[in-house]
Amino acid sequence: MKIAIYPGTFDPITNGHLDVVERASELFDEVIIALARNSQKSPLFRESERLELIQASIAECFPQRANIRADAFQGLLVEYAVSRNATAVVRGLRALSDFEYEFQMALMNRKLAPQITTVFLMPHEEYTYLNSTIIRELARYGKDVSDFVPKVVAQALKEKFEVKYH
Ligand code: COA
């Protein structure tokens, strides 16, 4: 059983992330989308909200795929991966600008746990320019983001900013 972890902050999950998940689910027996703590970020959505959005996005986008699930963890990614018997960590590479940070993380993770391999997947080029910050920014100014995120996420963003500003 080949298990892969796809970690991230997912604030919120986007179609770009889901494109990576779909590709990974064709390569591995099980893919765990794992909500991680990134100490550099202060997310808009609470951890429980982000996890619910990931779960709802899996149900919306991959109703037929039984090998994708969501989870959250604290602490080091590689320790979590070992605890789940995973052999790989999946990360998306959108552009050259992602490379340096990803390379650094992958090498550190390999130093910490040589048995875990980082696998980079390229999302579809239509998602190259996407990230969660841009999505939050568009939603904050009332723009429809439903071309870029699952319906449940677009709705949650709408509600979040309505509550925040009204
Ligand atoms: N499509 C769209 N957007 C994408 C994307 C894709 N395919 N891939 C990445 N992104 C975006 C994300 O939305 C995010 O955007 P934002 O910064 O605007 O919010 C950004 O690119 C990168 O974020 P993400 O993929 O969520 O990763 P991250 O950098 O927040 O995650 C962790 C890093 C969580 C994996 C890392 O901090 C970690 O492993 N933490 C656990 C602690 C640990 O082990 N630390 C040691 C690491 S060596």
Side-chain angles (χ1 to χ4, degrees), residues 107-128:
L107 289 183
M108 180 51 77
N109 284 335
R110 189 160 73 187
K111 171 88 182 143
L112 294 169
Q115 71 274 36
I116 308 281
T117 299
T118 300
V119 175
F120 293 107
L121 297 178
M122 243 195 306
H124 193 282
E125 53 276 16
E126 74 180 275
Y127 302 125
T128 301

Side-chain angles (χ1 to χ4, degrees), residues 6-20 34-39 41 73-79 89 91-94 98 101-102 104-106 108-109 112 121 123 127-134 136:
Y6 180 46
T9 309
F10 304 116
D11 185 38
I13 192 159
T14 69
N15 290 345
H17 293 126
L18 290 160
D19 181 278
V20 173
L35 195 51
R37 291 244 168 96
N38 182 338
S39 50
K41 292 184 175 176
F73 71 97
Q74 295 178 12
L76 284 180
L77 168 62
V78 287
E79 287 177 357
V89 164
R91 295 287 289 169
L93 267 191
R94 290 160 298 171
D98 283 342
Y101 171 61
E102 294 297 337
Q104 213 174 17
M105 269 204 307
M108 180 51 77
N109 284 335
L112 294 169
L121 297 178
Y127 302 125
T128 301
Y129 58 91
L130 261 194
N131 66 34
S132 301
T133 303
I134 290 176
R136 292 194 302 274

Side-chain angles (χ1 to χ4, degrees), residues 44 135-143 157 161 164-165:
L44 170 71
I135 299 296
R136 292 194 302 274
E137 193 70 357
L138 291 175
R140 185 188 308 275
Y141 293 108
K143 285 280 170 219
L157 280 163
F161 287 113
K164 255 188 135 159
Y165 295 117

